[in-house]
């Protein structure tokens, strides 16, 4: 689109960009060809079938988190928050496994980064592990995200001669760098069995690995006691190195240098470490295992500087992890919002951190807090999807400040392709007393049904919308159809109008007129005559329908039970008056012969009624 003038239109989840006919100053002659139209989506990930599983599963976790009792102390809720965090991570892992089976390498790398950051935030912020336990959690974090060590170990151990495999010592050193002493000893013993002459130094190394103290948070040992014990072990390793106990075997000497925390030796194995944060954890393991959370930022920054080449700038992931090690939560969220291509991660992580009371001091300048802003952005993106929009409703519900306003605006934009979808949207609005949206949806569906000549559906929607004017219009259509066909359609609906018929006079007339036909069909002539009389005297019938009422009334005048009720004179008088009104407003469509026949019939029945009522029985 270079050297072109473009216009754009905002959509609910995308932007439509198109070329215009406007010519820029200094631009060359107009290019030939058809102008292009581009659709730019901001949340492309929501259209991935596998990632939809992530959105659906995480929605259930999100709703469950909102239902945690607020009155419980934060300490009592901490295990629940940690469990919820692990649930989020398990959903991410499940999606990664599905993507790895397909061809989603790009999405896998993004999910790997998301899970890496989330896991670290869980360790540092949600679990908030103290000194001693902190390093154990960081070791688990590194082991989980450096799984290629296990794959390489299986390859070595399943080979014909593991000790002669080119990656044998790489596996041993990798295990040591991750603090996995038992696995390292199991692999080392294979080498010791093949070299009886060197068995003493292998046994010495095995002893050092076995003796390495590991802090047990559930035990009786205090952190100070552990620190003293670890220092004694560290000094023993250092003595072995100073005594050149492993000088005859460079691999064992390398391992011993790692055990004493030699940074240069660790950096010589960058390819085994892979990342600066693995180097950080290995460095802490053999240099300062009782590191406090407040000291992490110093070691993190120096480890990144030592590991990364000074000529290469840190990647966005490096900056995010470094901000986490510096306990700068807001910087982590900010950097993730910029680096990641959707709002899922920052919305759910921020929501969890907010429940942990870690974001209370950070409000935005435009009215909403950080948590609500991110949740609103994520939910708005979901609304652009044809099925995920239903998940977004719960997210809006749990945004107390602006959630309802956003939901009202988004629901108005949902395309109502089918009645089923319209009913879903309507149910959402009714549950939240969104009366204006309910009326709007019902009016749209009523007009659509009427345009398709589905009168029953149109009437049902107009009643639901409480739209008297539209209900009157549809009622008149029903009456017009009756005049043309001589029968009503959608009898089930009309017969069961109930109190809804009071919405408008025309709808009332439609319901009562149908009731008149039902009574007449059941041969309950007296009740039918009374109802017809009330319809005439109430004057709620349309003028075009008066002649039809007169014709309907004539058979009743001949019924014996009506005569016995001495009711016929009132009916005849009413019919005569109605006939006079018809004549007064006579139009061209009413045949004069039909009027004469009606007039004669009414005169005869009126005379008969007068005689009947004036006769005194003997």
């Amino acid at each position: 689109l270079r050297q072109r003038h473009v216009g754009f239109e905002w959509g609910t989840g995308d932007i439509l960009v198109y070329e215009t006919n406007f010519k820029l100053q200094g631009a060359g002659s107009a290019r030939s060809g058809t102008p292009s139209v581009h659709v730019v989506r901001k949340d492309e990930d929501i259209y991935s079938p596998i990632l939809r599983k992530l959105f659906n599963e995480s929605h259930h976790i999100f709703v469950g988190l909102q239902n945690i009792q607020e009155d419980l102390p934060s300490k009592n809720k901490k295990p629940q928050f940690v469990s919820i965090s692990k649930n989020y991570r398990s959903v991410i892992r499940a999606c990664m496994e599905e993507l790895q089976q397909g061809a989603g390498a790009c999405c896998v790398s993004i999910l790997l980064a998301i899970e890496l950051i989330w896991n670290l935030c869980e360790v540092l912020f949600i679990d908030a592990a103290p000194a001693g336990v902190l390093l154990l959690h960081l070791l688990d974090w590194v082991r989980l995200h450096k799984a290629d060590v296990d794959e390489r170990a299986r390859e070595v151990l399943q080979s014909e001669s593991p000790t002669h495999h080119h990656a044998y010592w790489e596996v041993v050193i990798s295990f040591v760098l991750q603090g996995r002493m038992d696995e390292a000893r199991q692999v080392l013993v294979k080498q010791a069995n093949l070299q009886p002459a060197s068995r003493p130094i292998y046994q010495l190394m095995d002893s050092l690995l076995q003796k390495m103290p590991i802090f047990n948070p559930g035990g009786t040992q205090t952190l100070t006691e552990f620190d003293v014990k670890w220092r004694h072990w560290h000094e023993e390793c250092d003595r072995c190195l100073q005594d050149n106990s492993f000088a005859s075997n460079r691999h064992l000497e390398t391992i011993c240098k790692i055990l004493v925390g030699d940074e240069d030796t660790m950096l010589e194995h960058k390819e085994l470490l892979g990342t600066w944060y693995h180097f950080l954890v290995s460095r802490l393991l053999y240099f300062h295992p009782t590191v406090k959370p407040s000291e992490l930022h110093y070691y993190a920054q120096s480890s990144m500087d030592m590991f990364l080449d000074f000529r290469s700038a840190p990647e966005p992931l490096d900056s995010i992890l470094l901000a986490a090690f510096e306990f700068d939560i807001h910087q982590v969220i900010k950097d993730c919002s910029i680096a990641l291509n959707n709002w899922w991660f920052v919305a759910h992580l921020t929501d969890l951190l907010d429940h942990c009371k870690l974001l209370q001091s950070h409000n935005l300048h435009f009215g909403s807090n950080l948590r609500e802003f991110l949740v609103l952005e994520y939910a708005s993106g979901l609304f652009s999807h044809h099925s995920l929009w239903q998940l977004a409703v719960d997210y809006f519900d749990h945004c107390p400040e602006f959630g309802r306003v956003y939901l009202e605006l988004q629901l108005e934009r949902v395309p109502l392709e089918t009645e089923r979808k319209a009913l879903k949207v309507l149910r959402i609005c009714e549950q939240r007393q969104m009366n204006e949206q309910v009326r709007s949806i019902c009016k749209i569906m009523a007009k659509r049904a009427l345009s398709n000549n589905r009168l029953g559906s149109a009437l049902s929607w107009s009643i639901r919308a409480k739209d008297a004017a539209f209900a009157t219009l549809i009622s008149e259509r029903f009456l017009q159809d009756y005049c043309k066909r001589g029968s009503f359609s959608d009898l089930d609906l009309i017969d069961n109008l109930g109190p809804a018929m009071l919405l408008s006079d025309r709808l009332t007339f439609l319901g009562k007129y149908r009731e008149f036909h039902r009574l007449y069909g059941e041969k309950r002539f007296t009740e039918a005559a009374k109802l017809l009389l009330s319809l005439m005297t109430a004057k709620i019938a349309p003028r075009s329908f008066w002649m039809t009422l007169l014709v309907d009334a004539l058979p009743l005048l001949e019924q014996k039970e009506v005569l016995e009720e001495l009711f016929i004179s009132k009916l005849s008088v009413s019919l005569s008056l109605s006939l006079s009104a018809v004549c007064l407003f006579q139009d061209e469509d009413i045949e004069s012969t039909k009027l004469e026949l009606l007039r004669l019939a009414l005169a005869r029945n009126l005379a008969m009624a007068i005689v009947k009522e004036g006769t005194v029985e003997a």
Side-chain angles (χ1 to χ4, degrees):
L1 295 176
R2 185 174 295 177
Q3 295 298 321
R4 302 287 183 98
H5 189 273
V6 297
F8 64 91
E9 290 290 336
W10 290 100
T12 54
D14 45 35
I15 308 172
L16 191 70
V17 181
Y18 52 87
E19 296 180 45
T20 69
N21 293 326
F22 181 81
K23 293 182 179 180
L24 295 171
Q25 290 184 353
S29 58
R31 301 182 186 182
S32 60
T34 306
S36 300
V37 177
H38 305 271
V39 178
V40 183
R41 285 176 173 162
K42 66 175 183 178
D43 287 321
E44 185 68 25
D45 286 347
I46 66 173
Y47 296 94
S48 166
I50 294 176
L51 289 182
R52 280 207 294 274
K53 179 180 178 180
L54 173 69
F55 301 138
N56 279 301
E57 295 292 333
S58 58
H59 162 260
H60 297 302
I61 302 172
F62 173 86
V63 173
L65 174 58
Q66 313 311 310
N67 295 330
I68 289 181
Q69 296 179 2
E70 288 292 335
D71 54 350
L72 289 175
S74 296
K75 290 183 179 179
N76 295 349
K77 290 187 285 189
K78 180 178 173 180
Q80 290 178 284
F81 291 145
V82 174
S83 175
I84 287 171
S85 178
K86 290 179 179 178
N87 288 342
Y88 275 125
R89 290 199 292 114
S90 67
V91 173
I92 299 172
R93 281 269 162 185
C95 288
M96 276 194 293
E97 290 174 4
E98 285 195 38
L99 286 168
Q100 284 169 344
Q101 295 172 2
C106 179
C107 287
V108 170
S109 62
I110 293 172
L111 288 178
L112 276 170
I114 285 175
E115 210 260 337
L116 178 74
I117 300 166
W118 191 300
N119 197 349
L120 182 59
C121 291
E122 179 186 306
V123 170
L124 299 180
F125 306 139
I126 301 169
D127 200 1
V133 182
L134 175 61
L135 183 62
L136 297 178
H137 289 342
L138 290 175
L139 280 170
D140 291 337
W141 174 61
V142 164
R143 291 166 187 169
L144 181 63
H145 298 281
K146 187 65 175 169
D148 61 333
V149 176
D150 296 292
E151 295 175 9
R152 195 158 57 241
R154 279 194 297 272
E155 180 187 339
V156 170
L157 295 175
Q158 291 173 2
S159 65
E160 293 182 2
S161 178
T163 55
H164 291 93
H165 195 281
H166 68 89
Y168 173 81
W169 286 105
E170 291 180 0
V171 169
V172 176
I173 293 173
S174 295
F175 280 145
V176 173
L177 288 170
Q178 290 190 3
R180 299 164 66 175
M181 299 311 184
D182 291 338
E183 288 101 323
R185 290 172 60 210
Q186 289 172 7
V187 179
L188 266 178
V189 75
K190 296 183 179 297
Q191 190 71 257
N193 292 335
L194 292 177
Q195 300 181 25
S198 302
R199 188 167 295 171
I201 60 172
Y202 280 100
Q203 289 177 341
L204 178 59
M205 177 56 68
D206 184 76
S207 175
L208 291 176
L209 295 177
Q210 185 180 16
K211 288 180 183 177
M212 180 181 176
I214 301 295
F215 182 68
N216 181 13
T220 57
Q221 189 181 51
T222 64
L223 188 64
T224 305
E225 291 171 343
F226 163 76
D227 188 51
V228 171
K229 188 176 180 181
W230 183 86
R231 290 184 185 280
H232 288 158
W233 171 83
H234 194 265
E235 289 170 2
E236 183 180 352
C237 294
D238 192 50
R239 280 196 304 272
C240 292
L241 192 62
Q242 297 301 326
D243 296 343
N244 294 319
S245 300
F246 302 105
S248 60
N249 189 312
R250 61 184 180 88
H251 297 297
L252 295 181
E253 188 176 35
T254 297
I255 294 173
C256 192
K257 286 181 179 179
I258 292 174
L259 295 181
V260 298
D262 187 282
E263 295 166 351
D264 293 334
T265 304
M266 292 184 189
L267 290 171
E268 288 173 4
H269 296 85
K270 278 187 178 183
E271 71 283 355
L272 300 181
L273 291 166
T275 58
W276 66 267
Y277 44 89
H278 189 341
F279 170 57
L280 162 68
V281 176
S282 299
R283 182 185 173 199
L284 290 173
L285 176 63
Y286 297 112
F287 182 75
H288 191 8
T290 57
V291 62
K292 299 175 182 177
S294 58
E295 299 170 334
L296 269 180
H297 70 93
Y298 163 73
Y299 288 104
Q301 182 66 65
S302 60
S303 296
M304 189 172 76
D305 293 340
M306 294 165 67
F307 191 88
L308 296 180
D309 193 302
F310 68 92
R311 289 169 295 183
S312 59
E315 297 289 332
L317 178 60
D318 300 323
S319 302
I320 293 168
L321 295 177
L322 185 60
F325 282 120
E326 293 173 349
F327 286 84
D328 191 345
I329 297 176
H330 302 110
Q331 191 63 42
V332 171
I333 295 169
K334 179 181 177 182
D335 290 346
C336 288
S337 300
I338 297 170
L340 300 175
N341 56 350
N342 67 67
W343 296 101
W344 179 90
F345 173 75
V346 289
H348 290 87
L349 179 62
T350 304
D351 173 62
L352 181 54
L353 294 175
D354 186 70
H355 276 83
C356 295
K357 309 297 183 186
L358 296 172
L359 296 173
Q360 298 305 301
S361 62
H362 196 79
N363 288 328
L364 303 179
H365 297 298
F366 42 85
S368 176
N369 60 40
L370 179 62
R371 178 252 177 205
E372 181 163 320
F373 169 76
L374 294 172
V375 172
L376 289 173
E377 287 296 319
Y378 171 66
S380 298
L382 289 180
F383 247 97
S384 63
H385 192 272
H386 63 87
S387 63
L388 294 176
W389 65 270
Q390 296 175 78
L391 303 181
V393 174
D394 286 323
Y395 288 94
F396 285 132
D397 282 344
H398 292 98
C399 293
E401 194 163 351
F402 294 116
R404 184 181 177 89
V405 176
Y406 269 66
L407 181 57
E408 289 175 351
L409 293 173
Q410 292 289 354
L411 286 173
E412 290 174 357
R413 299 173 181 174
V414 175
L416 307 175
E417 299 99 344
T418 62
E419 283 205 8
R420 183 181 177 184
K421 189 171 184 179
L423 287 169
K424 286 181 180 179
V425 179
L426 194 64
R427 195 180 309 114
I428 291 169
C429 295
E430 288 176 341
Q431 289 170 349
R432 291 155 183 81
Q433 287 81 48
M434 296 180 177
N435 299 325
E436 189 60 37
Q437 282 69 29
V438 168
R439 283 192 292 270
S440 175
I441 293 166
C442 292
K443 285 181 180 179
I444 291 170
M445 298 306 295
K447 289 178 181 178
R448 185 178 299 173
L450 184 62
S451 64
N452 293 327
N453 205 33
R454 295 167 54 232
L455 297 181
S457 178
L459 181 58
S460 177
W461 283 111
S462 64
I463 291 172
R464 204 161 185 172
K466 295 181 173 58
D467 189 339
F470 206 68
T472 299
L473 174 65
I474 299 169
S475 300
E476 289 185 350
R477 284 284 300 273
F478 266 106
L479 295 172
Q480 290 170 11
D481 279 7
Y482 172 78
C483 292
K484 290 178 183 177
R485 300 190 303 173
S487 62
F488 284 111
S489 60
D490 300 286
L491 289 180
D492 288 342
L493 175 64
I494 301 174
D495 285 343
N496 295 283
L497 284 173
M501 71 170 65
L502 301 176
L503 183 62
S504 75
D505 288 347
R506 199 68 82 243
L507 184 58
T508 303
F509 174 77
L510 173 65
K512 290 297 181 182
Y513 185 63
R514 165 57 195 158
E515 186 180 347
F516 160 74
H517 272 276
R518 185 172 55 79
L519 293 172
Y520 191 88
E522 296 171 358
K523 298 185 178 181
R524 294 157 64 182
F525 300 119
T526 303
E527 295 176 50
K530 289 180 180 178
L531 180 56
L532 189 63
L533 179 61
S534 66
L535 288 177
M536 291 178 173
T537 55
K539 297 181 181 179
I540 58 175
R543 197 176 70 187
S544 60
F545 213 74
W546 289 352
M547 179 62 75
T548 303
L549 292 179
L550 290 170
V551 173
D552 287 336
L554 288 179
L556 292 173
L557 299 174
E558 307 294 333
Q559 299 299 324
K560 183 178 180 181
E561 60 188 81
V562 177
L563 290 169
E564 289 174 353
E565 288 285 336
L566 300 178
F567 175 69
I568 197 166
S569 60
K570 296 179 183 178
L571 182 56
S572 296
V573 172
S574 296
L575 291 174
S576 298
L577 291 173
S578 297
L579 182 60
S580 300
V582 169
C583 295
L584 182 63
F585 297 106
Q586 180 181 359
D587 55 37
E588 298 175 358
D589 295 334
I590 301 177
E591 299 177 7
S592 57
T593 54
K594 187 180 290 187
L595 287 174
E596 289 301 322
L597 288 172
L598 281 171
R599 197 175 279 116
L600 287 172
L602 286 174
R604 183 171 66 85
N605 282 281
L606 185 57
M608 188 187 303
I610 293 170
V611 171
K612 179 73 175 176
E613 291 181 6
T615 301
V616 179
E617 295 183 3

